[in-house]
Amino acid sequence: DGVGIRMKSANDSVLSLWPNPAQTVLNIQTASKLDLIQIMDLSGRIVRSITVTKNNGSVDIASLSSGTYILLA
């Protein structure tokens, strides 16, 4: 079990995520700075919004239920 992430980037920037699937922490790295990252469940509900201040970091996903999510960047 874990959280599987699919990526959707509006600005076509290079986006790396690991590990995928993830259990507790999702690491994110981009070629350019993003302002906001959102995690959406498959019903279209935004379950997490993260304000981004640099082009890499980690997101705590331990509170998310196991399943597949879409990352909007």
Side-chain angles (χ1 to χ4, degrees), residues 6-21:
R6 296 176 191 213
M7 299 174 279
K8 173 79 173 148
S9 178
N11 62 7
D12 294 327
S13 66
V14 175
L15 185 65
S16 298
L17 303 172
W18 71 95
N20 189 11

Side-chain angles (χ1 to χ4, degrees), residues 1-57:
D1 287 356
V3 174
I5 300 285
R6 296 176 191 213
M7 299 174 279
K8 173 79 173 148
S9 178
N11 62 7
D12 294 327
S13 66
V14 175
L15 185 65
S16 298
L17 303 172
W18 71 95
N20 189 11
Q23 297 290 325
T24 57
V25 174
L26 180 65
N27 300 296
I28 301 171
Q29 183 171 1
T30 64
S32 59
K33 182 184 167 293
L34 301 172
D35 295 321
L36 180 68
I37 293 174
Q38 295 179 308
I39 299 175
M40 180 173 66
D41 65 16
L42 293 181
S43 70
R45 184 176 61 103
I46 301 296
V47 295
R48 181 78 44 90
S49 291
I50 303 108
T51 301
V52 181
T53 59
K54 52 188 177 180
N55 66 341
N56 62 11

Side-chain angles (χ1 to χ4, degrees), residues 57-71:
S58 299
V59 177
D60 180 2
I61 57 166
S63 64
L64 296 179
S65 300
S66 294
T68 301
Y69 295 84
I70 299 169
L71 187 134

